[in-house]
Amino acid sequence: MHARRVLRASAWAVAALLGFVVLAYLVLLAVNWSDEAPSADAQRLAALAHDRPALADAANGYVHAITLAGDSRDTDARSAEVAALAASCSRALACIAASEADPAALAQWRASEQWLLDGYRRMLETDRWREAVPGDAFTPLADYRHALGGQTLHLLAVREKALAGDPAAVRELLERDLVFWRRVLASSDLLLTKMVAVAAVERNLDHGNLALRELAPDLVAAAVPPSWQQPLTTQERSLLRPLGGEWEMIGGTLRNMLSPDPAKGGAGERWSRRLQRPLFQEQATRNLFATRMVRMGELSELPYPALGPAVEALGTEAAPVRFRPYNLLGTVLEATGPATVYSTYASRIADLEGLRRATLLVATLRSEGIAREHAAAAVATAALRNPYDDTAFVWDAADAAVLFRGLQRGDREPYAVPW
């Protein structure tokens, strides 16, 4: 009798527990009966993605970039010597040292990949950039390695013109290159593309600075491209447009992950998705992500003096405790990323302005014939200064370089512009 009572009690306990779970699930179903309307932030991001004019392929730099990536002449077929030289050329000083150490490899590289340089320069002739935003995170992203390889060959040609004493050609080649990549910087619809453009702008300044060093002081001013003298625009610095593309991609990814498509997964996985799907409100989740991304986009557009403190404050924010029965899964998914997840992008992009100023400063002092022993005083009194706090750049006498300390932290801190 005792065992029977225990068994009956256990059965009632299990039934009560199951009943509670079923009741709780039914309550969650009722709470999650309908989705939200698009928020103002969501509408703002959607407009960025959709309100764009049509663009012919021939005028679209993005189409040229992916055409380069799809060319059958693969750069993986490079000789070991050319591959080693190409690998060293992400930084100008290392590239010059490697090319001077192995001029035969440089000649072979130029001869074997003239097609890449020609394609790159056709890309530079376009005047718009409109890229395809993947439908979800599982769709392969564009490959820009060929485009950056073409840029390296283009910038090596800049130095060749400088060695020949041709400031007009130096100016024209640097200007074409930087105008294009600053356009990409302003028009990027994905973070990957934005950061590729950042890297390309950094290369232009880096290689261009050392090319100008080969010119006589009285020729330097004529070689400085106009785009070096133009401050970065808010649109070039802003993360809002690329975060809009990321937002579209996140929405598609979440929709596909929780799709009740019977062809996806086994029986257990399909039933799990069916049970979870009512607890996920797609538009409500997109609204949550939109709030975060618009906030980060607006932060990236702050004036330079306010940007550093804002990024620092973002890193000290406590993660919000978000648990609510409505859109339970969406709320959990949105809360998984830290508040600082995008701040490193904003910092590196904004640092381009300081790097531009420091590079222009070195070129200006060269054109004025300032001797190295007088560089410290000239740098300290120059009108070109750190954009974040309006302090003078620093002269590093040991390495003969102008130093700029930006917001980005890492192995490149501080930035050094060689004299």
Side-chain angles (χ1 to χ4, degrees), residues 247-314:
W247 176 75
E248 292 281 1
M249 196 162 60
I250 287 172
T253 303
L254 294 174
R255 187 186 314 119
N256 292 339
M257 286 175 61
L258 294 170
S259 169
D261 186 347
K264 292 184 177 180
E269 184 179 348
R270 291 197 297 272
W271 272 107
S272 175
R273 284 201 300 269
R274 285 192 180 98
L275 291 172
Q276 293 178 49
R277 188 63 178 85
L279 309 183
F280 169 73
Q281 300 296 338
E282 181 180 341
Q283 187 58 55
T285 305
R286 291 170 70 95
N287 290 346
L288 290 172
F289 277 99
T291 298
R292 172 188 292 195
M293 290 178 165
V294 167
R295 180 193 180 197
M296 195 65 232
E298 291 176 343
L299 182 148
S300 70
E301 298 174 358
L302 289 172
Y304 290 105
L307 184 58
V311 169
E312 186 175 349
L314 199 64

Side-chain angles (χ1 to χ4, degrees), residues 31-32 36 254 258 276 279-289 292 320-337:
V31 171
N32 288 275
E36 292 180 350
L254 294 174
L258 294 170
Q276 293 178 49
L279 309 183
F280 169 73
Q281 300 296 338
E282 181 180 341
Q283 187 58 55
T285 305
R286 291 170 70 95
N287 290 346
L288 290 172
F289 277 99
R292 172 188 292 195
V321 179
R322 290 178 177 168
F323 180 84
R324 56 176 185 167
Y326 179 73
N327 189 29
L328 181 61
L329 287 180
T331 302
V332 170
L333 287 169
E334 190 277 334
T336 54

Side-chain angles (χ1 to χ4, degrees), residues 32-358:
N32 288 275
W33 190 254
S34 60
D35 203 347
E36 292 180 350
S39 65
D41 288 337
Q43 293 178 39
R44 185 177 178 185
L45 294 181
L48 289 173
H50 299 302
D51 295 349
R52 298 184 300 172
L55 183 61
D57 286 354
N60 190 350
Y62 170 74
V63 173
H64 287 259
I66 60 174
T67 299
L68 278 177
D71 197 293
S72 59
R73 292 164 288 189
D74 198 339
T75 55
D76 289 341
R78 291 169 175 166
S79 67
E81 294 78 13
V82 169
L85 174 57
S88 70
C89 280
S90 60
R91 301 302 301 273
L93 278 173
C95 186
I96 291 171
S99 60
E100 290 179 344
D102 194 350
L106 177 59
Q108 182 188 355
W109 187 13
R110 284 174 164 163
S112 63
E113 295 185 15
Q114 182 64 41
W115 63 270
L116 181 59
L117 178 58
D118 292 342
Y120 180 78
R121 287 177 171 170
R122 284 192 296 273
M123 183 182 73
L124 296 186
E125 292 171 4
T126 62
D127 59 2
R128 296 287 188 277
W129 179 274
R130 181 172 179 176
E131 62 191 293
V133 176
D136 58 38
F138 304 107
T139 303
L141 297 173
D143 184 351
Y144 295 112
R145 287 175 297 176
H146 281 68
L148 292 176
Q151 186 195 29
T152 301
L153 291 170
H154 181 83
L155 294 175
L156 285 170
V158 173
R159 183 168 186 268
E160 189 176 66
K161 295 297 184 183
L163 289 169
D166 189 346
V170 169
R171 172 189 170 108
E172 191 270 335
L173 290 174
L174 285 174
E175 179 71 0
R176 285 171 58 194
D177 186 71
L178 190 53
V179 164
F180 175 83
W181 286 111
R182 286 185 65 164
R183 183 183 304 120
V184 177
L185 197 61
S187 308
S188 304
D189 286 306
L190 291 171
L191 286 174
L192 169 66
T193 314
K194 189 85 168 181
M195 301 317 292
V196 167
V198 169
V201 171
E202 289 174 342
R203 285 188 180 193
N204 180 284
L205 296 171
D206 188 24
H207 283 262
N209 170 57
L210 294 189
L212 265 60
R213 188 168 70 175
E214 304 296 343
L215 292 167
D218 60 325
L219 298 179
V220 171
V224 174
S227 53
W228 276 22
Q229 302 174 63
Q230 297 167 0
L232 260 68
T233 65
T234 300
Q235 189 174 0
E236 288 170 336
R237 290 197 293 123
S238 178
L239 282 175
L240 194 59
R241 175 172 287 278
L243 287 179
E246 300 290 328
W247 176 75
E248 292 281 1
M249 196 162 60
I250 287 172
T253 303
L254 294 174
R255 187 186 314 119
N256 292 339
M257 286 175 61
L258 294 170
S259 169
D261 186 347
K264 292 184 177 180
E269 184 179 348
R270 291 197 297 272
W271 272 107
S272 175
R273 284 201 300 269
R274 285 192 180 98
L275 291 172
Q276 293 178 49
R277 188 63 178 85
L279 309 183
F280 169 73
Q281 300 296 338
E282 181 180 341
Q283 187 58 55
T285 305
R286 291 170 70 95
N287 290 346
L288 290 172
F289 277 99
T291 298
R292 172 188 292 195
M293 290 178 165
V294 167
R295 180 193 180 197
M296 195 65 232
E298 291 176 343
L299 182 148
S300 70
E301 298 174 358
L302 289 172
Y304 290 105
L307 184 58
V311 169
E312 186 175 349
L314 199 64
T316 62
E317 284 185 3
V321 179
R322 290 178 177 168
F323 180 84
R324 56 176 185 167
Y326 179 73
N327 189 29
L328 181 61
L329 287 180
T331 302
V332 170
L333 287 169
E334 190 277 334
T336 54
T340 56
V341 67
Y342 299 116
S343 62
T344 54
Y345 296 103
S347 297
R348 185 175 170 193
I349 296 165
D351 281 355
L352 283 179
E353 175 60 17
L355 189 58
R356 181 198 69 82
R357 293 185 188 188

